[in-house]
């Protein structure tokens, strides 16, 4: 009996924060939430300009970096729920463009996704769309080329590495709305530009990309 009671206690009262293991009633404990909020950009539309405008929730550092790592590599896909919701709130507070959008998360290569079990960009996009009401169109784009890890490459090599990496799927739904790409991290934008080229060649205009975090400095 005592064991069963303990089991129930653990189940309902002592779930622990995936980032710091402190017991918490919420998914992410208030302490880590505060640490994450500290990485938020004052103006998420700071980089909303140029050929591929960027809207980024925060800087890729500290607890945000840690959260994305836990989400992707430590089997914590549930973290996408609060993170995607915060991204959605930031968009709702200061949307750089108005109107309905089709949200297309940057797809992973099927083999890589099979290994991980999920695509974190898609999970973030689900939470983002649930809050904002924009249409999720994950199946319109696929990644057909398994690419070398980008961080090990020069800028030029990154662009080459990604050439032809994406394809619009044959079963693509016709879109009435312009496309907003969504990814977890934005670094040089090479990945997003490659996706934009594929979509626009198929007649789907891309207005920009939204990312949870960026390495770009203000
Ligand atoms: Zn915590």
């Amino acid at each position: 009996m005592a064991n069963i009671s303990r089991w129930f206690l653990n189940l309902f009262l002592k779930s622990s924060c995936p980032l710091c293991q402190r017991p918490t009633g919420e998914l992410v404990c208030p302490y880590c939430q505060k640490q994450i909020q500290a990485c938020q950009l004052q103006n998420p539309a700071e980089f909303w300009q140029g050929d591929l405008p960027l809207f980024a929730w925060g800087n890729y550092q500290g607890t945000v970096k840690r959260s994305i790592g836990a989400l992707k590599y430590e089997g914590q896909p549930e973290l996408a729920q609060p993170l995607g919701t915060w991204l959605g709130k930031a968009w709702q507070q200061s949307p750089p463009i108005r109107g309905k959008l089709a949200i297309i998360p940057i797809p992973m290569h099927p083999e890589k996704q099979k290994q991980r079990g999920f695509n974190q960009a898609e999970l973030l996009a689900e939470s983002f769309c649930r809050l904002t009401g924009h249409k999720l169109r994950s199946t319109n784009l696929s990644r057909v080329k398994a690419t070398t890890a980008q961080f090990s490459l020069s800028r030029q090599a990154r662009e080459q590495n990604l050439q032809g990496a994406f394809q619009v799927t044959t079963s693509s739904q016709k879109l009435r709305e312009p496309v907003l790409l969504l990814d977890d991290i934005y670094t040089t934008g090479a990945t997003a530009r490659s996706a934009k080229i594929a979509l626009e060649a198929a007649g789907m205009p891309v207005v920009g990309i939204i990312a949870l975090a960026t390495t770009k400095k203000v």
Side-chain angles (χ1 to χ4, degrees):
M1 191 63 197
N3 279 342
I4 292 173
S5 305
R6 198 171 305 131
W7 182 79
F8 270 106
L9 267 178
N10 284 337
L11 190 65
F12 293 112
L13 300 175
K14 289 195 172 177
S15 76
S16 60
C17 172
L19 300 174
C20 70
Q21 320 313 323
R22 284 183 177 89
T24 173
E26 295 167 81
L27 179 61
V28 175
C29 79
Y31 172 80
C32 290
Q33 281 192 34
K34 221 171 151 186
Q35 300 285 315
I36 292 173
Q37 304 294 345
C39 303
Q40 189 170 8
L41 282 169
Q42 286 247 312
N43 174 17
E46 186 80 47
F47 306 110
W48 192 264
Q49 61 208 1
D51 62 331
L52 188 64
L54 164 70
F55 184 97
W57 186 87
N59 287 312
Y60 185 57
Q61 63 180 38
T63 311
V64 166
K65 191 172 175 178
R66 165 97 187 82
S67 310
I68 295 175
L71 163 64
K72 284 160 84 165
Y73 309 119
E74 293 167 24
Q76 309 275 10
E78 68 277 14
L79 279 171
Q81 199 259 319
L83 296 172
T85 304
W86 293 333
L87 186 59
K89 278 186 187 154
W91 182 270
Q92 282 182 325
Q93 271 163 18
S94 48
I97 42 165
R98 304 268 169 186
K100 283 274 175 213
L101 296 166
I103 307 299
I104 300 190
I106 296 290
M108 281 170 83
H109 190 270
E111 266 170 45
K112 204 170 163 192
Q113 186 165 342
K114 208 170 150 192
Q115 277 173 15
R116 188 169 295 166
F118 57 87
N119 172 5
Q120 69 283 348
E122 191 176 350
L123 298 183
L124 289 168
E126 276 172 18
S127 303
F128 177 86
C129 290
R130 202 174 300 133
L131 183 80
T132 60
H134 291 301
K135 296 234 169 73
L136 182 62
R137 294 289 184 230
S138 321
T139 55
N140 276 40
L141 191 68
S142 65
R143 197 165 191 141
V144 289
K145 202 166 121 186
T147 45
T148 321
Q150 288 287 91
F151 56 80
S152 62
L153 303 172
S154 70
R155 193 190 166 100
Q156 201 188 2
R158 279 182 186 219
E159 306 270 350
Q160 270 169 12
N161 185 36
L162 282 156
Q163 241 169 42
F166 298 98
Q167 239 172 40
V168 167
T169 51
T170 45
S171 58
S172 252
Q173 280 172 280
K174 203 145 181 63
L175 300 180
R176 262 178 289 165
E177 310 86 3
V179 173
L180 179 66
L181 293 166
L182 188 149
D183 210 353
D184 51 339
I185 310 165
Y186 181 101
T187 50
T188 65
T191 308
R193 268 192 295 277
S194 179
K196 175 184 155 96
I197 289 167
L199 285 163
E200 294 194 336
M204 298 182 220
V206 175
V207 291
I209 174 152
I210 179 165
L212 185 63
T214 183
T215 52
K216 274 177 100 123
K217 291 279 170 267
V218 179

